[in-house]
Amino acid sequence: MEAQNQEVAALVEKIAGLHAAISKLPSLSPSAEVDALFTDLVTACVPASPVDVAKLGPEAQAMREELIRLCSAAEGHLEAHYADMLAAFDNPLDHLARFPYYGNYVNLSKLEYDLLVRYVPGIAPTRVAFVGSGPLPFSSLVLAAHHLPDAVFDNYDRCGAANERARRLFRGADEGLGARMAFHTADVATLTGELGAYDVVFLAALVGMAAEEKAGDVRRGGFDVLAVCHPEDEVINSVIVARKVGAAAAAAAARRDELADSRGVVLPVVGPPSTCCKVEASAVEKAEEFAANKELSV
């Protein structure tokens, strides 16, 4: 126990030092210093850790929340930088591998697709929404190109500039793929009615948030969590798979969640069918013949 306590203290001290250094950066735009610090942060967070986030003190919790915000902001700067770089080519989609983490998106999209077909066998969606697509919509691009070739993708982001950057990437794209990718500026909070019309919905989520926390929110939102997937490599992703349920079933799921919390029970965790990277939680919603029983993976 003493050794474990020392390990926890050392990790918290390491991350606290990185937080202090990142907080002092004059800019989060890509640079050698920014890249090195965030690489160190990811490296520190990758190994399995005995840290129980829920038991951290208020100062550590505040630091964690600030790091989530900083990581999200830095990711936005990084994606905008590379979106502009790629847009300078005649055929931007031919140069996606220039983005240093493109391969991670490929693996993440495969993970999301594998989990989708595992929990919704036989699904063949024709309309897919991706919420929070950003200036580099790699996840929806890879899913559209390699896993869901018959689906039309509507990409939603609340930032108009991000959508404009994303559109420029499809200049000169294959007509079939380009025609299946649309971009809309909207906040997810305003999309309640629209999302119900899709066969599948993928929701991008903030970096670093605990999957169990997200799962609790999902269950309280009327979805029954089927599984939580934590990749077991250098990846810091989690994927939650959930199904939309009726009011009575949602209430029962919420009661189960409360009981699980009171007993210290963890949501069902599944092993990943593949590796992945970049922090994203995917949400999958199946409509088809079950209008009242839509499937969602978040």
Side-chain angles (χ1 to χ4, degrees):
M1 180 60 73
E2 180 60 29
Q4 187 179 80
N5 289 338
Q6 292 178 354
E7 182 182 354
V8 170
L11 179 59
V12 171
E13 182 179 1
K14 166 89 172 166
I15 293 177
L18 289 169
H19 169 259
I22 291 171
S23 299
K24 294 176 182 176
L25 289 169
S27 170
L28 293 176
S29 296
S31 69
E33 185 178 14
V34 170
D35 294 347
L37 285 172
F38 279 102
T39 297
D40 286 347
L41 178 61
V42 171
T43 301
C45 295
V46 163
S49 168
V51 175
D52 184 345
V53 174
K55 294 181 179 179
L56 293 176
E59 184 176 346
Q61 293 284 7
M63 177 186 69
R64 175 175 176 267
E65 292 175 4
E66 176 67 4
L67 276 174
I68 290 173
R69 187 191 66 77
L70 291 169
C71 286
S72 180
E75 177 72 16
H77 283 295
L78 181 68
E79 292 190 3
H81 172 79
Y82 275 93
D84 291 341
M85 178 190 294
L86 293 172
F89 293 99
D90 290 336
N91 295 295
L93 298 188
D94 292 340
H95 302 274
L96 299 181
R98 290 176 179 266
F99 184 68
Y101 307 114
Y102 176 66
N104 298 333
Y105 279 93
V106 172
N107 292 332
L108 173 60
S109 297
K110 184 177 187 304
L111 171 64
E112 293 172 332
Y113 177 74
D114 287 347
L115 288 172
L116 171 61
V117 296
R118 183 195 299 188
Y119 287 95
V120 193
I123 185 172
T126 59
R127 295 193 66 203
V128 175
F130 197 103
V131 180
S133 48
L136 284 179
F138 283 157
S139 290
S140 56
L141 168 62
V142 174
L143 285 164
H146 301 292
H147 303 297
L148 299 171
D150 298 321
V152 172
F153 279 70
D154 283 319
N155 298 277
Y156 293 91
D157 198 283
R158 63 183 179 180
C159 178
N163 285 326
E164 186 54 39
R165 283 186 165 100
R167 289 188 190 97
R168 294 206 306 264
L169 297 179
F170 289 84
R171 186 183 69 255
D174 169 79
E175 289 186 5
L177 176 61
R180 292 191 291 118
M181 298 286 284
F183 298 90
H184 312 278
T185 301
D187 193 304
V188 64
T190 68
L191 297 176
T192 307
E194 289 88 341
L195 295 182
Y198 290 96
D199 301 317
V200 175
V201 176
F202 289 91
L203 301 178
L206 287 176
V207 173
M209 296 175 68
E212 284 75 15
E213 294 174 8
K214 296 172 194 165
D217 290 338
V218 168
R219 295 181 79 164
R220 285 185 284 274
F223 294 89
D224 191 13
V225 173
L226 302 178
V228 177
C229 175
H230 298 296
E232 297 174 347
D233 51 14
E234 74 277 5
V235 182
I236 50 175
N237 301 68
S238 295
V239 176
I240 301 169
V241 182
R243 173 185 291 114
K244 181 68 175 177
V245 295
R255 286 194 296 272
R256 289 199 304 272
D257 198 41
E258 291 173 1
L259 285 172
D261 288 342
S262 67
R263 297 173 184 168
V265 178
V266 178
L267 292 167
V269 175
V270 297
S274 65
T275 58
C276 65
C277 192
K278 188 176 187 307
V279 179
E280 215 171 297
S282 122
V284 186
E285 191 172 41
K286 184 185 177 190
E288 284 193 289
E289 66 269 21
F290 327 111
N293 243 351
K294 295 183 180 175
E295 309 279 343
L296 179 86
S297 97
V298 180

